[in-house]
Tab-separated table of all heavy atoms in Angstrom:
chain	number	residue	atom	x	y	z
A	867	ALA	N	253.338	11.289	-7.530
A	867	ALA	CA	252.370	12.368	-7.984
A	867	ALA	C	251.771	12.864	-6.658
A	867	ALA	O	251.547	14.077	-6.552
A	867	ALA	CB	251.348	11.693	-8.822
A	870	GLU	N	253.951	15.294	-4.781
A	870	GLU	CA	254.067	16.622	-5.480
A	870	GLU	C	252.666	17.369	-5.214
A	870	GLU	O	252.770	18.554	-4.936
A	870	GLU	CB	254.122	16.395	-6.952
A	870	GLU	CG	255.532	15.962	-7.366
A	870	GLU	CD	255.695	15.701	-8.856
A	870	GLU	OE1	254.718	15.195	-9.489
A	870	GLU	OE2	256.812	15.825	-9.390
A	871	LEU	N	251.562	16.739	-5.358
A	871	LEU	CA	250.262	17.414	-5.111
A	871	LEU	C	250.108	17.908	-3.712
A	871	LEU	O	249.637	19.061	-3.512
A	871	LEU	CB	249.072	16.404	-5.393
A	871	LEU	CG	248.928	16.160	-6.836
A	871	LEU	CD1	248.085	14.806	-7.025
A	871	LEU	CD2	248.217	17.262	-7.656
A	874	GLY	N	251.637	21.043	-3.029
A	874	GLY	CA	251.037	22.168	-3.841
A	874	GLY	C	251.636	22.311	-5.301
A	874	GLY	O	251.454	23.349	-5.921
A	875	LYS	N	252.424	21.288	-5.692
A	875	LYS	CA	252.953	21.362	-6.988
A	875	LYS	C	252.025	20.645	-8.014
A	875	LYS	O	251.124	19.916	-7.581
A	875	LYS	CB	254.257	20.636	-7.049
A	875	LYS	CG	255.304	21.208	-6.202
A	875	LYS	CD	256.708	20.382	-6.262
A	875	LYS	CE	257.677	20.911	-5.226
A	875	LYS	NZ	258.715	20.008	-4.911
A	876	THR	N	252.303	20.862	-9.302
A	876	THR	CA	251.614	20.084	-10.290
A	876	THR	C	252.353	18.733	-10.590
A	876	THR	O	253.523	18.646	-10.330
A	876	THR	CB	251.487	20.813	-11.708
A	876	THR	OG1	252.694	21.200	-12.067
A	876	THR	CG2	250.555	22.049	-11.572
A	877	VAL	N	251.617	17.818	-11.076
A	877	VAL	CA	252.216	16.360	-11.247
A	877	VAL	C	253.163	16.466	-12.445
A	877	VAL	O	252.677	16.858	-13.517
A	877	VAL	CB	251.092	15.350	-11.505
A	877	VAL	CG1	251.754	13.944	-11.768
A	877	VAL	CG2	250.194	15.265	-10.320
A	878	SER	N	254.403	16.087	-12.141
A	878	SER	CA	255.478	16.272	-13.320
A	878	SER	C	255.253	15.126	-14.254
A	878	SER	O	255.759	15.293	-15.477
A	878	SER	CB	256.845	16.234	-12.712
A	878	SER	OG	257.029	15.129	-11.896
A	879	ASN	N	254.724	14.044	-13.898
A	879	ASN	CA	254.597	12.837	-14.852
A	879	ASN	C	253.110	12.367	-14.764
A	879	ASN	O	252.814	11.492	-14.149
A	879	ASN	CB	255.494	11.756	-14.408
A	879	ASN	CG	255.728	10.708	-15.497
A	879	ASN	OD1	255.269	10.881	-16.569
A	879	ASN	ND2	256.417	9.558	-15.164
Side-chain angles (χ1 to χ4, degrees):
Chain A
E870 286 177 326
L871 288 161
K875 297 175 185 167
T876 52
V877 179
S878 54
N879 196 6

